[in-house]
Amino acid sequence: MTTPAGGRAEGVQGGFTKNEMMIVAAARELAGQRVCFVGVGLPNIAVNLAKRTVAPDLELVYEAGVFGARPARLPLSIGDPTIVTGATAATSMYELFALYLQGGLIDVGFLGAAQIDRFGNINTTVIGDYEAPRTRLPGSGGACEIAINARQVFVIMRQATRSFVERIDFRTSAGNLGGAETAERIRREQGWLGRGPSVVVTDLGIYHFDASGEMRLDWLHPGVTLDDVHAAMAWEPKVAESVGTTAQPTAEELRLIREELDPTGAYTKG
Amino acid sequence: MTTPAGGRAEGVQGGFTKNEMMIVAAARELAGQRVCFVGVGLPNIAVNLAKRTVAPDLELVYEAGVFGARPARLPLSIGDPTIVTGATAATSMYELFALYLQGGLIDVGFLGAAQIDRFGNINTTVIGDYEAPRTRLPGSGGACEIAINARQVFVIMRQATRSFVERIDFRTSAGNLGGAETAERIRREQGWLGRGPSVVVTDLGIYHFDASGEMRLDWLHPGVTLDDVHAAMAWEPKVAESVGTTAQPTAEELRLIREELDPTGAYTKG
Amino acid sequence: MRDAVAELVRDGDTVAIEGFTHLICFAAGHEIIRQRRRDLTLARLTPDVIYDQMVAAGVARKLIFSWLGNPGVGGLNAIRRRVEGARERSDDGDVQAATEPGNGADGSTEQEGSTGDGSAASSPLELEEYSHFGMVGRYLAGASNLPFFPLRSYFETDLPRANPLIREIRSPYGDEVVYAVPPLKPDVTIIHAQRADANGSTQIWGLLGCQKEAAFAADRVIVVVEELVDEAVIRADPNRTVVPGLIVDAVVVEPFGAHPSYVQGAYDRDNMFYRDWDPISRDAGSTEAWLREWVNGVSGRAEYVEKLGAERVESLRPGRAPSGQVDYGDYR
Amino acid sequence: MRDAVAELVRDGDTVAIEGFTHLICFAAGHEIIRQRRRDLTLARLTPDVIYDQMVAAGVARKLIFSWLGNPGVGGLNAIRRRVEGARERSDDGDVQAATEPGNGADGSTEQEGSTGDGSAASSPLELEEYSHFGMVGRYLAGASNLPFFPLRSYFETDLPRANPLIREIRSPYGDEVVYAVPPLKPDVTIIHAQRADANGSTQIWGLLGCQKEAAFAADRVIVVVEELVDEAVIRADPNRTVVPGLIVDAVVVEPFGAHPSYVQGAYDRDNMFYRDWDPISRDAGSTEAWLREWVNGVSGRAEYVEKLGAERVESLRPGRAPSGQVDYGDYR
């Protein structure tokens, strides 16, 4: 592998899509992490890219009951047979959730989201009223327990005024609640192992969380402006004093996505 | 196998020990039963004899985590390797206790005891005061949960004034408590699956429990008198209107015990 | 299969066809549709395409679940039609469901037409929802005869409000509070497996999901297998046994019975099928047509497999990856 | 082994050497004795002969357990000396402990003499006792970060009175009450296994006991194996993995390290040893002499095995009973 580990190294000839940039940026955030719980959807491709680039020793944990997966191909579903063959351990879901997740062995829970607010609280349940939803989304799956029990949470999602909202329609997974102070107190009182969300990667940039527990824009992807970001979220975002520009995808990153991980373009088109 | 299934058929030439008679009588009580949880000690040999005689289809369950054991030899310990090889299932102790026992799949829990009272309450913890015991016994093991969760409980133990007592020193496993009426109420209120003790086999005879929940002598072993029984227990026992005489061990039963199950005589001497 | 479903699955039952992505018994689901069962409560962590088909066919009145999607593809459209039901549609075009791999299947449901698949298929569908661990815990409490299962989840979320059966419970060792879910005891649990013996003792390798818990929790159990093996095969490796024959009411041999889901070592997940289901299921008419052709139009799984064609079947066969062998020792 | 114990087992620790009859790591227990650890709290469902030896050697101040006996033989005499301690002996000659297979080892302890095995070995030993399911539940609560574990046991017994940590808990779904036990998180859990890879990913077949729960509950984990294998062997059969390397702090290769307990497929339980231990342990002097000869008198397990002799070792080898092999399938 020739990819600069975790760096924002100089990019590459040729075009790339916004989704490719998002996946690459998310993968790079995993540099240095040890154990990652892989959520359904975009996290799956981001984590698999990280395993092939910046984090070859990353242990992939799938809620389906797998620790130490070595998928020979990108699993389309997170319960694909390729995550079992050659894995370190395949166990019941009970043991996966009880011993690995709730037991505190997960460094990073990597989630997707339909809606997120400035404090990183997540909705994947409904758009509209719960009893009579405008859109019925899949629901929690393992997300609400991952959000509490993983040591930290990474989020990957596309950004839009409908998804980066002032107030989420349903809180499926807890983030920093109403702010860092409340969140810290409640985590302590209720004995959560997790410290909550630490990074959100979108198709426009990269956010981390500041001392108040609010999302702060730290990096803009190449070609994206602050105006683009403002136009794609419902609140006025905090912005780092000096916002960097994310390094473009390398040729190797793009090759891995296009040839190995997502040859049909299911994740990356657009 | 030529042994009359479950019957009290006529015995056999030659002597046999009181312990052999006890084990044979206990084994015969298992005729018609389906799933038996095998307790440590004397139950182990009685159940293994039953499996080879009156109850070939009996499923042996060992708390060590085995369902459907087919021990090729008598396991000295109830965690012997011979209970695993060729078994239907070998599982964690958690699953054995949670799914098989607490889940209600055990027809008979077969226990030993150091002390028992007239209502079938059992002590296997201490003789004397708990804090400063005269004799420290092994304790519950799985017995206290077997007593509650198995559909019925069989007991095998030698009889003496010190073991058949008016008041046990410590209640390790619940029997019929203070009598059938209380026991029925409490079982209902607390949702026990078990109906409590149904038979006690000793070296002198066989007891079942009457409508009041008290032990009643139904069978005397060959050569044993009512006086012998009275001399070997601390309370005045109820006695069936017509007490039968247990059929002597058959030649086959004795051969199995002496040649296959207990060639060193660990269980049966005396 | 016909006899097992006829005898063991009854109108109004709570039915769990379990298996997390792996070993989902589509063959049993289709037989339940063919036998026109009604008013079922369907429990599964991930309803998946099989419950989407069953809901479309009108067998269900309620779902108990934790994640409602077509894994790796998008939403479950037949179910969504019953849930989003009478509401006026609005354009949710750019809301990204956590389901979606790409930015395609994003919640738009404007293809809604006349459902036409019978009144049972268009009446409102009741939902009772948990998280994955909550569902597993429900089965486990049911299987182990406990009145509740405690877990660290749901804190500071809207789930306990949406489902009042998710309740707080206080530790007897201090003030700590965690959440609890109630036991779930299906009337029938149906699981698919690589192999079982004639008694029903069943072995699974690969993802184990929560089939063991769901089976032990159930009143009746149907095991569907790729292969019936001699009891000696099971007894040679007792650690692999997931379910003993003791709790099994029927063993059905139905090769390829899990398609389009998969069987570790035997066939691959048919991802193309899952993708194809998305456009089919977006329209009630095409959903109905599919059910007519592939479920009601065949007598059973054998005919379904034949219709699928040898080429499709062969394309799903994996290479070999043998487990190696261990020695239990002969002790006599 | 020497390094693992030196680094990871500290005075005052709570130590769990788990394994139910199967895979009891005597080699680790002996090394702890040789390194003269003190004030340990020893947790095990069945203290077995290994804790009898450790208690006799004076390493322990407390036992947490559920069944205190020499399985299939009788009592644990060194432990009983510390528990029945100062009391006047009376003749309990005909009380039958549930332990006893025959009518021999029946609780008589009149052989009591000067313990002489050091003050640490004769001071009172604290006991904290549960049932088997209670102990398993304690490890499970510890491993899964729960404040309690609920179970249906202890009703109408004297156990909750003897151990006030066994407490009632009310269901949030009605009035039902069950019992709870608190989490147990050992400082160190030591397990023995057939095989592990260099990362510590460990596989066991045969009785699984509660090693997984005890290991996940612990702060530090030592795995002792009969054989170190290539990572590929483990990864070829992921369903057999009990403990991942992630939670393992040391892997020690120590063939025959579980003797006189056994390793499924590798060697038999040495029942003669368990029987022989009974008379040895009835007397403090002979107990001490045994420890001097077989524990402190050898440098480690290799020397112990040599001393045991090839004939004894060979007599414990079982015949073969291969598991057969399954196919996980190669999916790319």
Side-chain angles (χ1 to χ4, degrees), chain D residues 44-69:
Chain D
R44 254 184 78 78
L45 273 64
T46 60
D48 203 273
V49 164
I50 183 60
Y51 281 8
D52 209 36
Q53 295 173 349
M54 292 170 77
V55 164
V59 309
R61 65 163 198 83
K62 181 175 176 180
L63 286 184
I64 305 176
F65 71 98
S66 46
W67 194 85
L68 194 62

PDB file of all heavy atoms in Angstrom, chain D residues 44-69:
ATOM      1  N   ARG D  44     -13.989 -19.193  41.638  1.00  0.00           N
ATOM      2  CA  ARG D  44     -14.210 -20.362  40.767  1.00  0.00           C
ATOM      3  C   ARG D  44     -15.546 -20.967  41.157  1.00  0.00           C
ATOM      4  O   ARG D  44     -15.890 -20.991  42.332  1.00  0.00           O
ATOM      5  CB  ARG D  44     -13.163 -21.460  41.020  1.00  0.00           C
ATOM      6  CG  ARG D  44     -12.087 -21.640  39.989  1.00  0.00           C
ATOM      7  CD  ARG D  44     -11.205 -22.837  40.343  1.00  0.00           C
ATOM      8  NE  ARG D  44     -11.877 -24.079  39.991  1.00  0.00           N
ATOM      9  CZ  ARG D  44     -11.950 -24.562  38.752  1.00  0.00           C
ATOM     10  NH1 ARG D  44     -11.366 -23.933  37.767  1.00  0.00           N
ATOM     11  NH2 ARG D  44     -12.600 -25.678  38.505  1.00  0.00           N
ATOM     12  N   LEU D  45     -16.290 -21.492  40.185  1.00  0.00           N
ATOM     13  CA  LEU D  45     -17.500 -22.218  40.556  1.00  0.00           C
ATOM     14  C   LEU D  45     -17.138 -23.344  41.517  1.00  0.00           C
ATOM     15  O   LEU D  45     -17.734 -23.491  42.577  1.00  0.00           O
ATOM     16  CB  LEU D  45     -18.195 -22.794  39.313  1.00  0.00           C
ATOM     17  CG  LEU D  45     -19.190 -21.860  38.606  1.00  0.00           C
ATOM     18  CD1 LEU D  45     -18.491 -20.648  38.033  1.00  0.00           C
ATOM     19  CD2 LEU D  45     -19.968 -22.610  37.538  1.00  0.00           C
ATOM     20  N   THR D  46     -16.178 -24.157  41.112  1.00  0.00           N
ATOM     21  CA  THR D  46     -15.775 -25.325  41.895  1.00  0.00           C
ATOM     22  C   THR D  46     -14.309 -25.182  42.255  1.00  0.00           C
ATOM     23  O   THR D  46     -13.448 -25.452  41.421  1.00  0.00           O
ATOM     24  CB  THR D  46     -15.940 -26.599  41.055  1.00  0.00           C
ATOM     25  OG1 THR D  46     -15.112 -26.473  39.895  1.00  0.00           O
ATOM     26  CG2 THR D  46     -17.375 -26.811  40.636  1.00  0.00           C
ATOM     27  N   PRO D  47     -14.017 -24.772  43.479  1.00  0.00           N
ATOM     28  CA  PRO D  47     -12.606 -24.541  43.826  1.00  0.00           C
ATOM     29  C   PRO D  47     -11.688 -25.715  43.451  1.00  0.00           C
ATOM     30  O   PRO D  47     -10.557 -25.506  43.041  1.00  0.00           O
ATOM     31  CB  PRO D  47     -12.679 -24.296  45.331  1.00  0.00           C
ATOM     32  CG  PRO D  47     -14.000 -23.576  45.487  1.00  0.00           C
ATOM     33  CD  PRO D  47     -14.919 -24.301  44.537  1.00  0.00           C
ATOM     34  N   ASP D  48     -12.210 -26.939  43.562  1.00  0.00           N
ATOM     35  CA  ASP D  48     -11.478 -28.099  43.058  1.00  0.00           C
ATOM     36  C   ASP D  48     -10.141 -28.245  43.793  1.00  0.00           C
ATOM     37  O   ASP D  48      -9.796 -27.448  44.658  1.00  0.00           O
ATOM     38  CB  ASP D  48     -11.247 -27.953  41.541  1.00  0.00           C
ATOM     39  CG  ASP D  48     -11.001 -29.267  40.822  1.00  0.00           C
ATOM     40  OD1 ASP D  48      -9.835 -29.722  40.763  1.00  0.00           O
ATOM     41  OD2 ASP D  48     -11.974 -29.864  40.325  1.00  0.00           O
ATOM     42  N   VAL D  49      -9.405 -29.256  43.416  1.00  0.00           N
ATOM     43  CA  VAL D  49      -8.124 -29.536  44.066  1.00  0.00           C
ATOM     44  C   VAL D  49      -7.138 -28.380  43.886  1.00  0.00           C
ATOM     45  O   VAL D  49      -6.314 -28.103  44.758  1.00  0.00           O
ATOM     46  CB  VAL D  49      -7.542 -30.866  43.527  1.00  0.00           C
ATOM     47  CG1 VAL D  49      -6.072 -31.007  43.861  1.00  0.00           C
ATOM     48  CG2 VAL D  49      -8.347 -32.041  44.099  1.00  0.00           C
ATOM     49  N   ILE D  50      -7.226 -27.656  42.781  1.00  0.00           N
ATOM     50  CA  ILE D  50      -6.247 -26.584  42.560  1.00  0.00           C
ATOM     51  C   ILE D  50      -6.345 -25.504  43.637  1.00  0.00           C
ATOM     52  O   ILE D  50      -5.322 -25.033  44.153  1.00  0.00           O
ATOM     53  CB  ILE D  50      -6.369 -25.980  41.141  1.00  0.00           C
ATOM     54  CG1 ILE D  50      -5.287 -24.921  40.915  1.00  0.00           C
ATOM     55  CG2 ILE D  50      -7.738 -25.364  40.894  1.00  0.00           C
ATOM     56  CD1 ILE D  50      -3.880 -25.456  41.042  1.00  0.00           C
ATOM     57  N   TYR D  51      -7.582 -25.104  44.004  1.00  0.00           N
ATOM     58  CA  TYR D  51      -7.695 -24.077  45.049  1.00  0.00           C
ATOM     59  C   TYR D  51      -7.427 -24.674  46.425  1.00  0.00           C
ATOM     60  O   TYR D  51      -6.972 -23.973  47.329  1.00  0.00           O
ATOM     61  CB  TYR D  51      -9.065 -23.390  45.004  1.00  0.00           C
ATOM     62  CG  TYR D  51      -9.206 -22.330  43.924  1.00  0.00           C
ATOM     63  CD1 TYR D  51      -8.224 -22.134  42.948  1.00  0.00           C
ATOM     64  CD2 TYR D  51     -10.336 -21.511  43.873  1.00  0.00           C
ATOM     65  CE1 TYR D  51      -8.368 -21.177  41.963  1.00  0.00           C
ATOM     66  CE2 TYR D  51     -10.480 -20.533  42.889  1.00  0.00           C
ATOM     67  CZ  TYR D  51      -9.506 -20.374  41.935  1.00  0.00           C
ATOM     68  OH  TYR D  51      -9.652 -19.417  40.959  1.00  0.00           O
ATOM     69  N   ASP D  52      -7.698 -25.977  46.599  1.00  0.00           N
ATOM     70  CA  ASP D  52      -7.329 -26.633  47.854  1.00  0.00           C
ATOM     71  C   ASP D  52      -5.815 -26.510  48.050  1.00  0.00           C
ATOM     72  O   ASP D  52      -5.331 -26.164  49.127  1.00  0.00           O
ATOM     73  CB  ASP D  52      -7.756 -28.102  47.817  1.00  0.00           C
ATOM     74  CG  ASP D  52      -8.079 -28.670  49.214  1.00  0.00           C
ATOM     75  OD1 ASP D  52      -8.623 -27.925  50.055  1.00  0.00           O
ATOM     76  OD2 ASP D  52      -7.788 -29.858  49.450  1.00  0.00           O
ATOM     77  N   GLN D  53      -5.077 -26.745  46.971  1.00  0.00           N
ATOM     78  CA  GLN D  53      -3.616 -26.635  47.039  1.00  0.00           C
ATOM     79  C   GLN D  53      -3.189 -25.186  47.269  1.00  0.00           C
ATOM     80  O   GLN D  53      -2.295 -24.905  48.085  1.00  0.00           O
ATOM     81  CB  GLN D  53      -2.981 -27.174  45.739  1.00  0.00           C
ATOM     82  CG  GLN D  53      -3.211 -28.674  45.548  1.00  0.00           C
ATOM     83  CD  GLN D  53      -2.749 -29.189  44.189  1.00  0.00           C
ATOM     84  OE1 GLN D  53      -2.427 -28.403  43.286  1.00  0.00           O
ATOM     85  NE2 GLN D  53      -2.737 -30.510  44.039  1.00  0.00           N
ATOM     86  N   MET D  54      -3.816 -24.267  46.570  1.00  0.00           N
ATOM     87  CA  MET D  54      -3.434 -22.859  46.714  1.00  0.00           C
ATOM     88  C   MET D  54      -3.764 -22.335  48.114  1.00  0.00           C
ATOM     89  O   MET D  54      -3.011 -21.560  48.697  1.00  0.00           O
ATOM     90  CB  MET D  54      -4.099 -22.006  45.625  1.00  0.00           C
ATOM     91  CG  MET D  54      -3.558 -22.315  44.227  1.00  0.00           C
ATOM     92  SD  MET D  54      -4.495 -21.538  42.879  1.00  0.00           S
ATOM     93  CE  MET D  54      -3.885 -19.847  42.982  1.00  0.00           C
ATOM     94  N   VAL D  55      -4.921 -22.758  48.629  1.00  0.00           N
ATOM     95  CA  VAL D  55      -5.279 -22.355  49.985  1.00  0.00           C
ATOM     96  C   VAL D  55      -4.293 -22.950  50.991  1.00  0.00           C
ATOM     97  O   VAL D  55      -3.822 -22.277  51.908  1.00  0.00           O
ATOM     98  CB  VAL D  55      -6.736 -22.774  50.301  1.00  0.00           C
ATOM     99  CG1 VAL D  55      -7.009 -22.721  51.802  1.00  0.00           C
ATOM    100  CG2 VAL D  55      -7.722 -21.877  49.548  1.00  0.00           C
ATOM    101  N   ALA D  56      -3.954 -24.217  50.798  1.00  0.00           N
ATOM    102  CA  ALA D  56      -2.992 -24.857  51.692  1.00  0.00           C
ATOM    103  C   ALA D  56      -1.653 -24.122  51.666  1.00  0.00           C
ATOM    104  O   ALA D  56      -0.962 -24.007  52.686  1.00  0.00           O
ATOM    105  CB  ALA D  56      -2.787 -26.319  51.285  1.00  0.00           C
ATOM    106  N   ALA D  57      -1.302 -23.605  50.496  1.00  0.00           N
ATOM    107  CA  ALA D  57      -0.008 -22.929  50.359  1.00  0.00           C
ATOM    108  C   ALA D  57      -0.057 -21.491  50.868  1.00  0.00           C
ATOM    109  O   ALA D  57       0.970 -20.799  50.883  1.00  0.00           O
ATOM    110  CB  ALA D  57       0.426 -22.944  48.896  1.00  0.00           C
ATOM    111  N   GLY D  58      -1.253 -21.036  51.228  1.00  0.00           N
ATOM    112  CA  GLY D  58      -1.332 -19.732  51.873  1.00  0.00           C
ATOM    113  C   GLY D  58      -1.441 -18.540  50.953  1.00  0.00           C
ATOM    114  O   GLY D  58      -1.187 -17.407  51.367  1.00  0.00           O
ATOM    115  N   VAL D  59      -1.877 -18.742  49.715  1.00  0.00           N
ATOM    116  CA  VAL D  59      -1.974 -17.586  48.820  1.00  0.00           C
ATOM    117  C   VAL D  59      -3.289 -16.832  48.961  1.00  0.00           C
ATOM    118  O   VAL D  59      -3.399 -15.697  48.520  1.00  0.00           O
ATOM    119  CB  VAL D  59      -1.794 -17.978  47.330  1.00  0.00           C
ATOM    120  CG1 VAL D  59      -0.526 -18.806  47.133  1.00  0.00           C
ATOM    121  CG2 VAL D  59      -3.000 -18.726  46.802  1.00  0.00           C
ATOM    122  N   ALA D  60      -4.289 -17.478  49.614  1.00  0.00           N
ATOM    123  CA  ALA D  60      -5.648 -16.917  49.534  1.00  0.00           C
ATOM    124  C   ALA D  60      -6.149 -16.400  50.868  1.00  0.00           C
ATOM    125  O   ALA D  60      -5.835 -16.946  51.917  1.00  0.00           O
ATOM    126  CB  ALA D  60      -6.611 -17.975  49.010  1.00  0.00           C
ATOM    127  N   ARG D  61      -6.964 -15.345  50.823  1.00  0.00           N
ATOM    128  CA  ARG D  61      -7.665 -14.910  52.018  1.00  0.00           C
ATOM    129  C   ARG D  61      -9.181 -15.112  51.895  1.00  0.00           C
ATOM    130  O   ARG D  61      -9.907 -15.065  52.864  1.00  0.00           O
ATOM    131  CB  ARG D  61      -7.361 -13.448  52.341  1.00  0.00           C
ATOM    132  CG  ARG D  61      -7.845 -12.448  51.332  1.00  0.00           C
ATOM    133  CD  ARG D  61      -7.891 -11.016  51.888  1.00  0.00           C
ATOM    134  NE  ARG D  61      -8.748 -10.202  51.049  1.00  0.00           N
ATOM    135  CZ  ARG D  61     -10.070 -10.141  51.148  1.00  0.00           C
ATOM    136  NH1 ARG D  61     -10.704 -10.813  52.065  1.00  0.00           N
ATOM    137  NH2 ARG D  61     -10.783  -9.410  50.303  1.00  0.00           N
ATOM    138  N   LYS D  62      -9.637 -15.374  50.678  1.00  0.00           N
ATOM    139  CA  LYS D  62     -11.082 -15.463  50.458  1.00  0.00           C
ATOM    140  C   LYS D  62     -11.383 -16.338  49.250  1.00  0.00           C
ATOM    141  O   LYS D  62     -10.620 -16.351  48.278  1.00  0.00           O
ATOM    142  CB  LYS D  62     -11.634 -14.057  50.209  1.00  0.00           C
ATOM    143  CG  LYS D  62     -13.127 -14.001  49.990  1.00  0.00           C
ATOM    144  CD  LYS D  62     -13.623 -12.563  49.860  1.00  0.00           C
ATOM    145  CE  LYS D  62     -15.109 -12.538  49.542  1.00  0.00           C
ATOM    146  NZ  LYS D  62     -15.620 -11.172  49.421  1.00  0.00           N
ATOM    147  N   LEU D  63     -12.524 -17.050  49.344  1.00  0.00           N
ATOM    148  CA  LEU D  63     -13.011 -17.827  48.203  1.00  0.00           C
ATOM    149  C   LEU D  63     -14.388 -17.322  47.789  1.00  0.00           C
ATOM    150  O   LEU D  63     -15.238 -17.073  48.637  1.00  0.00           O
ATOM    151  CB  LEU D  63     -13.194 -19.298  48.565  1.00  0.00           C
ATOM    152  CG  LEU D  63     -11.997 -20.224  48.734  1.00  0.00           C
ATOM    153  CD1 LEU D  63     -12.521 -21.650  48.997  1.00  0.00           C
ATOM    154  CD2 LEU D  63     -11.133 -20.207  47.490  1.00  0.00           C
ATOM    155  N   ILE D  64     -14.596 -17.204  46.484  1.00  0.00           N
ATOM    156  CA  ILE D  64     -15.935 -16.941  45.938  1.00  0.00           C
ATOM    157  C   ILE D  64     -16.271 -18.155  45.077  1.00  0.00           C
ATOM    158  O   ILE D  64     -15.531 -18.461  44.133  1.00  0.00           O
ATOM    159  CB  ILE D  64     -15.947 -15.659  45.086  1.00  0.00           C
ATOM    160  CG1 ILE D  64     -15.421 -14.473  45.903  1.00  0.00           C
ATOM    161  CG2 ILE D  64     -17.339 -15.376  44.552  1.00  0.00           C
ATOM    162  CD1 ILE D  64     -15.306 -13.181  45.092  1.00  0.00           C
ATOM    163  N   PHE D  65     -17.363 -18.844  45.377  1.00  0.00           N
ATOM    164  CA  PHE D  65     -17.565 -20.165  44.768  1.00  0.00           C
ATOM    165  C   PHE D  65     -19.033 -20.574  44.814  1.00  0.00           C
ATOM    166  O   PHE D  65     -19.868 -19.903  45.417  1.00  0.00           O
ATOM    167  CB  PHE D  65     -16.735 -21.207  45.531  1.00  0.00           C
ATOM    168  CG  PHE D  65     -17.307 -21.486  46.896  1.00  0.00           C
ATOM    169  CD1 PHE D  65     -18.119 -22.598  47.113  1.00  0.00           C
ATOM    170  CD2 PHE D  65     -17.099 -20.609  47.951  1.00  0.00           C
ATOM    171  CE1 PHE D  65     -18.700 -22.835  48.362  1.00  0.00           C
ATOM    172  CE2 PHE D  65     -17.672 -20.841  49.196  1.00  0.00           C
ATOM    173  CZ  PHE D  65     -18.474 -21.956  49.402  1.00  0.00           C
ATOM    174  N   SER D  66     -19.298 -21.734  44.216  1.00  0.00           N
ATOM    175  CA  SER D  66     -20.653 -22.290  44.293  1.00  0.00           C
ATOM    176  C   SER D  66     -20.678 -23.763  44.702  1.00  0.00           C
ATOM    177  O   SER D  66     -21.729 -24.256  45.105  1.00  0.00           O
ATOM    178  CB  SER D  66     -21.384 -22.118  42.954  1.00  0.00           C
ATOM    179  OG  SER D  66     -20.576 -22.482  41.864  1.00  0.00           O
ATOM    180  N   TRP D  67     -19.589 -24.464  44.592  1.00  0.00           N
ATOM    181  CA  TRP D  67     -19.596 -25.891  44.981  1.00  0.00           C
ATOM    182  C   TRP D  67     -18.191 -26.299  45.407  1.00  0.00           C
ATOM    183  O   TRP D  67     -17.275 -26.342  44.600  1.00  0.00           O
ATOM    184  CB  TRP D  67     -20.062 -26.779  43.826  1.00  0.00           C
ATOM    185  CG  TRP D  67     -20.392 -28.155  44.268  1.00  0.00           C
ATOM    186  CD1 TRP D  67     -21.562 -28.593  44.788  1.00  0.00           C
ATOM    187  CD2 TRP D  67     -19.518 -29.303  44.242  1.00  0.00           C
ATOM    188  NE1 TRP D  67     -21.479 -29.923  45.082  1.00  0.00           N
ATOM    189  CE2 TRP D  67     -20.254 -30.387  44.760  1.00  0.00           C
ATOM    190  CE3 TRP D  67     -18.203 -29.506  43.828  1.00  0.00           C
ATOM    191  CZ2 TRP D  67     -19.721 -31.668  44.882  1.00  0.00           C
ATOM    192  CZ3 TRP D  67     -17.652 -30.769  43.944  1.00  0.00           C
ATOM    193  CH2 TRP D  67     -18.414 -31.845  44.463  1.00  0.00           C
ATOM    194  N   LEU D  68     -18.092 -26.598  46.678  1.00  0.00           N
ATOM    195  CA  LEU D  68     -16.796 -26.756  47.330  1.00  0.00           C
ATOM    196  C   LEU D  68     -16.516 -28.225  47.583  1.00  0.00           C
ATOM    197  O   LEU D  68     -16.755 -28.730  48.668  1.00  0.00           O
ATOM    198  CB  LEU D  68     -16.890 -26.005  48.664  1.00  0.00           C
ATOM    199  CG  LEU D  68     -15.640 -25.694  49.455  1.00  0.00           C
ATOM    200  CD1 LEU D  68     -14.721 -24.785  48.657  1.00  0.00           C
ATOM    201  CD2 LEU D  68     -16.031 -24.993  50.765  1.00  0.00           C
ATOM    202  N   GLY D  69     -16.018 -28.920  46.576  1.00  0.00           N
ATOM    203  CA  GLY D  69     -15.741 -30.336  46.803  1.00  0.00           C
ATOM    204  C   GLY D  69     -14.668 -30.853  45.862  1.00  0.00           C
ATOM    205  O   GLY D  69     -14.225 -30.160  44.945  1.00  0.00           O
TER     206      GLY D  69
END
